[in-house]
PDB file of all heavy atoms in Angstrom:
ATOM      1  N   GLU A 330     -47.099 -53.814 -27.188  1.00  0.00           N
ATOM      2  CA  GLU A 330     -47.059 -55.144 -27.588  1.00  0.00           C
ATOM      3  C   GLU A 330     -46.048 -55.389 -28.860  1.00  0.00           C
ATOM      4  O   GLU A 330     -45.810 -54.416 -29.672  1.00  0.00           O
ATOM      5  CB  GLU A 330     -48.418 -55.661 -27.919  1.00  0.00           C
ATOM      6  CG  GLU A 330     -49.304 -55.812 -26.708  1.00  0.00           C
ATOM      7  CD  GLU A 330     -50.708 -56.410 -27.076  1.00  0.00           C
ATOM      8  OE1 GLU A 330     -50.969 -56.549 -28.269  1.00  0.00           O
ATOM      9  OE2 GLU A 330     -51.442 -56.708 -26.079  1.00  0.00           O
ATOM     10  N   GLU A 331     -45.708 -56.549 -29.099  1.00  0.00           N
ATOM     11  CA  GLU A 331     -44.905 -57.027 -30.326  1.00  0.00           C
ATOM     12  C   GLU A 331     -45.755 -56.962 -31.539  1.00  0.00           C
ATOM     13  O   GLU A 331     -46.691 -57.778 -31.687  1.00  0.00           O
ATOM     14  CB  GLU A 331     -44.214 -58.345 -30.093  1.00  0.00           C
ATOM     15  CG  GLU A 331     -43.180 -58.260 -28.971  1.00  0.00           C
ATOM     16  CD  GLU A 331     -41.930 -57.449 -29.312  1.00  0.00           C
ATOM     17  OE1 GLU A 331     -41.702 -57.213 -30.552  1.00  0.00           O
ATOM     18  OE2 GLU A 331     -41.482 -56.757 -28.348  1.00  0.00           O
ATOM     19  N   ASN A 332     -45.574 -55.914 -32.382  1.00  0.00           N
ATOM     20  CA  ASN A 332     -46.288 -56.038 -33.645  1.00  0.00           C
ATOM     21  C   ASN A 332     -45.402 -54.998 -34.675  1.00  0.00           C
ATOM     22  O   ASN A 332     -44.599 -54.343 -34.199  1.00  0.00           O
ATOM     23  CB  ASN A 332     -47.703 -55.508 -33.483  1.00  0.00           C
ATOM     24  CG  ASN A 332     -47.788 -54.085 -33.116  1.00  0.00           C
ATOM     25  OD1 ASN A 332     -47.529 -53.077 -33.880  1.00  0.00           O
ATOM     26  ND2 ASN A 332     -48.122 -53.848 -31.880  1.00  0.00           N
ATOM     27  N   LEU A 333     -45.652 -55.271 -35.940  1.00  0.00           N
ATOM     28  CA  LEU A 333     -44.993 -54.503 -36.934  1.00  0.00           C
ATOM     29  C   LEU A 333     -45.770 -53.448 -37.666  1.00  0.00           C
ATOM     30  O   LEU A 333     -45.344 -52.845 -38.476  1.00  0.00           O
ATOM     31  CB  LEU A 333     -44.319 -55.448 -37.928  1.00  0.00           C
ATOM     32  CG  LEU A 333     -43.356 -56.486 -37.424  1.00  0.00           C
ATOM     33  CD1 LEU A 333     -42.958 -57.436 -38.526  1.00  0.00           C
ATOM     34  CD2 LEU A 333     -42.145 -55.754 -36.675  1.00  0.00           C
ATOM     35  N   TYR A 334     -46.979 -53.259 -37.153  1.00  0.00           N
ATOM     36  CA  TYR A 334     -47.892 -52.428 -37.931  1.00  0.00           C
ATOM     37  C   TYR A 334     -48.303 -51.209 -37.353  1.00  0.00           C
ATOM     38  O   TYR A 334     -48.801 -50.246 -37.932  1.00  0.00           O
ATOM     39  CB  TYR A 334     -49.171 -53.230 -38.272  1.00  0.00           C
ATOM     40  CG  TYR A 334     -49.995 -53.732 -37.204  1.00  0.00           C
ATOM     41  CD1 TYR A 334     -50.866 -52.871 -36.509  1.00  0.00           C
ATOM     42  CD2 TYR A 334     -49.922 -55.007 -36.794  1.00  0.00           C
ATOM     43  CE1 TYR A 334     -51.581 -53.322 -35.430  1.00  0.00           C
ATOM     44  CE2 TYR A 334     -50.702 -55.538 -35.684  1.00  0.00           C
ATOM     45  CZ  TYR A 334     -51.463 -54.742 -35.045  1.00  0.00           C
ATOM     46  OH  TYR A 334     -52.219 -55.201 -33.974  1.00  0.00           O
ATOM     47  N   VAL A 335     -48.032 -51.030 -36.047  1.00  0.00           N
ATOM     48  CA  VAL A 335     -48.283 -49.634 -35.379  1.00  0.00           C
ATOM     49  C   VAL A 335     -46.976 -48.660 -35.622  1.00  0.00           C
ATOM     50  O   VAL A 335     -46.008 -49.058 -35.154  1.00  0.00           O
ATOM     51  CB  VAL A 335     -48.473 -49.825 -33.882  1.00  0.00           C
ATOM     52  CG1 VAL A 335     -48.618 -48.506 -33.224  1.00  0.00           C
ATOM     53  CG2 VAL A 335     -49.700 -50.693 -33.636  1.00  0.00           C
ATOM     54  N   LYS A 336     -47.285 -47.664 -36.392  1.00  0.00           N
ATOM     55  CA  LYS A 336     -46.007 -46.785 -36.801  1.00  0.00           C
ATOM     56  C   LYS A 336     -46.116 -45.470 -35.986  1.00  0.00           C
ATOM     57  O   LYS A 336     -45.163 -44.811 -35.936  1.00  0.00           O
ATOM     58  CB  LYS A 336     -46.103 -46.623 -38.288  1.00  0.00           C
ATOM     59  CG  LYS A 336     -45.894 -47.919 -39.056  1.00  0.00           C
ATOM     60  CD  LYS A 336     -44.629 -48.554 -38.725  1.00  0.00           C
ATOM     61  CE  LYS A 336     -44.436 -49.881 -39.569  1.00  0.00           C
ATOM     62  NZ  LYS A 336     -43.243 -50.525 -39.263  1.00  0.00           N
ATOM     63  N   SER A 337     -47.320 -45.048 -35.602  1.00  0.00           N
ATOM     64  CA  SER A 337     -47.466 -43.824 -34.905  1.00  0.00           C
ATOM     65  C   SER A 337     -48.662 -43.862 -33.883  1.00  0.00           C
ATOM     66  O   SER A 337     -49.635 -44.523 -34.104  1.00  0.00           O
ATOM     67  CB  SER A 337     -47.538 -42.569 -35.870  1.00  0.00           C
ATOM     68  OG  SER A 337     -48.577 -42.710 -36.815  1.00  0.00           O
ATOM     69  N   ILE A 338     -48.527 -42.977 -32.856  1.00  0.00           N
ATOM     70  CA  ILE A 338     -49.660 -43.000 -31.889  1.00  0.00           C
ATOM     71  C   ILE A 338     -49.783 -41.436 -31.503  1.00  0.00           C
ATOM     72  O   ILE A 338     -48.810 -40.725 -31.262  1.00  0.00           O
ATOM     73  CB  ILE A 338     -49.229 -43.726 -30.708  1.00  0.00           C
ATOM     74  CG1 ILE A 338     -49.035 -45.240 -30.941  1.00  0.00           C
ATOM     75  CG2 ILE A 338     -50.306 -43.646 -29.479  1.00  0.00           C
ATOM     76  CD1 ILE A 338     -48.597 -46.083 -29.804  1.00  0.00           C
ATOM     77  N   ILE A 339     -51.127 -41.167 -31.409  1.00  0.00           N
ATOM     78  CA  ILE A 339     -51.501 -39.711 -30.856  1.00  0.00           C
ATOM     79  C   ILE A 339     -52.438 -39.955 -29.655  1.00  0.00           C
ATOM     80  O   ILE A 339     -53.405 -40.608 -29.830  1.00  0.00           O
ATOM     81  CB  ILE A 339     -52.162 -38.864 -31.935  1.00  0.00           C
ATOM     82  CG1 ILE A 339     -51.254 -38.664 -33.035  1.00  0.00           C
ATOM     83  CG2 ILE A 339     -52.592 -37.616 -31.283  1.00  0.00           C
ATOM     84  CD1 ILE A 339     -51.990 -37.940 -34.237  1.00  0.00           C
ATOM     85  N   THR A 340     -51.952 -39.523 -28.488  1.00  0.00           N
ATOM     86  CA  THR A 340     -52.915 -39.721 -27.353  1.00  0.00           C
ATOM     87  C   THR A 340     -53.445 -38.293 -26.938  1.00  0.00           C
ATOM     88  O   THR A 340     -52.644 -37.272 -26.937  1.00  0.00           O
ATOM     89  CB  THR A 340     -52.267 -40.488 -26.084  1.00  0.00           C
ATOM     90  OG1 THR A 340     -51.293 -39.577 -25.466  1.00  0.00           O
ATOM     91  CG2 THR A 340     -51.531 -41.652 -26.638  1.00  0.00           C
ATOM     92  N   LEU A 341     -54.654 -38.297 -26.492  1.00  0.00           N
ATOM     93  CA  LEU A 341     -55.192 -37.013 -25.896  1.00  0.00           C
ATOM     94  C   LEU A 341     -55.393 -37.293 -24.437  1.00  0.00           C
ATOM     95  O   LEU A 341     -56.398 -37.886 -23.942  1.00  0.00           O
ATOM     96  CB  LEU A 341     -56.575 -36.745 -26.634  1.00  0.00           C
ATOM     97  CG  LEU A 341     -56.695 -36.623 -28.086  1.00  0.00           C
ATOM     98  CD1 LEU A 341     -58.010 -36.303 -28.618  1.00  0.00           C
ATOM     99  CD2 LEU A 341     -55.628 -35.634 -28.638  1.00  0.00           C
ATOM    100  N   ASP A 342     -54.411 -36.830 -23.692  1.00  0.00           N
ATOM    101  CA  ASP A 342     -54.422 -36.877 -22.226  1.00  0.00           C
ATOM    102  C   ASP A 342     -54.789 -38.188 -21.597  1.00  0.00           C
ATOM    103  O   ASP A 342     -55.381 -38.355 -20.628  1.00  0.00           O
ATOM    104  CB  ASP A 342     -55.499 -35.802 -21.593  1.00  0.00           C
ATOM    105  CG  ASP A 342     -55.086 -35.259 -20.370  1.00  0.00           C
ATOM    106  OD1 ASP A 342     -53.860 -34.900 -20.178  1.00  0.00           O
ATOM    107  OD2 ASP A 342     -56.125 -35.105 -19.541  1.00  0.00           O
ATOM    108  N   HIS A 343     -54.113 -39.341 -22.162  1.00  0.00           N
ATOM    109  CA  HIS A 343     -54.233 -40.630 -21.457  1.00  0.00           C
ATOM    110  C   HIS A 343     -53.389 -40.490 -20.271  1.00  0.00           C
ATOM    111  O   HIS A 343     -52.397 -39.780 -20.250  1.00  0.00           O
ATOM    112  CB  HIS A 343     -53.780 -41.622 -22.444  1.00  0.00           C
ATOM    113  CG  HIS A 343     -52.285 -41.955 -22.467  1.00  0.00           C
ATOM    114  ND1 HIS A 343     -51.418 -41.027 -22.922  1.00  0.00           N
ATOM    115  CD2 HIS A 343     -51.504 -43.019 -21.921  1.00  0.00           C
ATOM    116  CE1 HIS A 343     -50.213 -41.578 -22.941  1.00  0.00           C
ATOM    117  NE2 HIS A 343     -50.313 -42.732 -22.268  1.00  0.00           N
ATOM    118  N   ARG A 344     -53.583 -41.320 -19.293  1.00  0.00           N
ATOM    119  CA  ARG A 344     -52.905 -41.113 -18.009  1.00  0.00           C
ATOM    120  C   ARG A 344     -52.336 -42.327 -17.354  1.00  0.00           C
ATOM    121  O   ARG A 344     -51.673 -42.207 -16.258  1.00  0.00           O
ATOM    122  CB  ARG A 344     -54.006 -40.490 -16.962  1.00  0.00           C
ATOM    123  CG  ARG A 344     -54.533 -39.045 -17.502  1.00  0.00           C
ATOM    124  CD  ARG A 344     -55.684 -38.746 -16.512  1.00  0.00           C
ATOM    125  NE  ARG A 344     -55.393 -38.695 -15.161  1.00  0.00           N
ATOM    126  CZ  ARG A 344     -56.315 -38.705 -14.091  1.00  0.00           C
ATOM    127  NH1 ARG A 344     -57.541 -38.889 -14.478  1.00  0.00           N
ATOM    128  NH2 ARG A 344     -55.835 -38.637 -12.959  1.00  0.00           N
ATOM    129  N   ARG A 345     -52.630 -43.550 -17.857  1.00  0.00           N
ATOM    130  CA  ARG A 345     -52.235 -44.686 -17.047  1.00  0.00           C
ATOM    131  C   ARG A 345     -51.216 -45.629 -17.674  1.00  0.00           C
ATOM    132  O   ARG A 345     -50.275 -46.083 -17.064  1.00  0.00           O
ATOM    133  CB  ARG A 345     -53.537 -45.633 -16.758  1.00  0.00           C
ATOM    134  CG  ARG A 345     -54.688 -44.899 -16.302  1.00  0.00           C
ATOM    135  CD  ARG A 345     -54.521 -44.337 -14.861  1.00  0.00           C
ATOM    136  NE  ARG A 345     -55.667 -43.515 -14.540  1.00  0.00           N
ATOM    137  CZ  ARG A 345     -55.648 -42.756 -13.443  1.00  0.00           C
ATOM    138  NH1 ARG A 345     -54.673 -42.742 -12.613  1.00  0.00           N
ATOM    139  NH2 ARG A 345     -56.766 -42.105 -13.021  1.00  0.00           N
ATOM    140  N   VAL A 346     -51.255 -45.848 -18.966  1.00  0.00           N
ATOM    141  CA  VAL A 346     -50.269 -46.828 -19.595  1.00  0.00           C
ATOM    142  C   VAL A 346     -49.129 -46.183 -20.206  1.00  0.00           C
ATOM    143  O   VAL A 346     -49.226 -45.102 -20.885  1.00  0.00           O
ATOM    144  CB  VAL A 346     -51.075 -47.534 -20.741  1.00  0.00           C
ATOM    145  CG1 VAL A 346     -50.094 -48.464 -21.439  1.00  0.00           C
ATOM    146  CG2 VAL A 346     -52.209 -48.319 -20.160  1.00  0.00           C
ATOM    147  N   PRO A 347     -47.898 -46.455 -19.847  1.00  0.00           N
ATOM    148  CA  PRO A 347     -46.728 -45.877 -20.354  1.00  0.00           C
ATOM    149  C   PRO A 347     -46.620 -45.812 -21.938  1.00  0.00           C
ATOM    150  O   PRO A 347     -46.927 -46.718 -22.496  1.00  0.00           O
ATOM    151  CB  PRO A 347     -45.548 -46.731 -19.833  1.00  0.00           C
ATOM    152  CG  PRO A 347     -46.070 -47.284 -18.463  1.00  0.00           C
ATOM    153  CD  PRO A 347     -47.586 -47.551 -18.828  1.00  0.00           C
ATOM    154  N   LEU A 348     -46.262 -44.704 -22.473  1.00  0.00           N
ATOM    155  CA  LEU A 348     -46.095 -44.589 -23.824  1.00  0.00           C
ATOM    156  C   LEU A 348     -44.999 -45.611 -24.208  1.00  0.00           C
ATOM    157  O   LEU A 348     -44.016 -45.785 -23.472  1.00  0.00           O
ATOM    158  CB  LEU A 348     -45.667 -43.174 -24.227  1.00  0.00           C
ATOM    159  CG  LEU A 348     -46.738 -42.124 -24.040  1.00  0.00           C
ATOM    160  CD1 LEU A 348     -46.267 -40.721 -24.283  1.00  0.00           C
ATOM    161  CD2 LEU A 348     -47.884 -42.324 -25.168  1.00  0.00           C
ATOM    162  N   PRO A 349     -45.149 -46.089 -25.431  1.00  0.00           N
ATOM    163  CA  PRO A 349     -44.014 -47.074 -25.958  1.00  0.00           C
ATOM    164  C   PRO A 349     -42.748 -46.224 -26.093  1.00  0.00           C
ATOM    165  O   PRO A 349     -42.690 -45.107 -26.591  1.00  0.00           O
ATOM    166  CB  PRO A 349     -44.573 -47.491 -27.205  1.00  0.00           C
ATOM    167  CG  PRO A 349     -46.041 -47.354 -27.291  1.00  0.00           C
ATOM    168  CD  PRO A 349     -46.292 -46.090 -26.357  1.00  0.00           C
TER     169      PRO A 349
END
Side-chain angles (χ1 to χ4, degrees):
E330 292 185 347
E331 291 297 325
N332 64 74
L333 298 175
Y334 60 82
V335 176
K336 298 301 182 182
S337 51
I338 297 174
I339 299 173
T340 72
L341 306 182
D342 211 40
H343 87 293
R344 298 171 56 204
R345 310 295 178 190
V346 178
L348 290 170

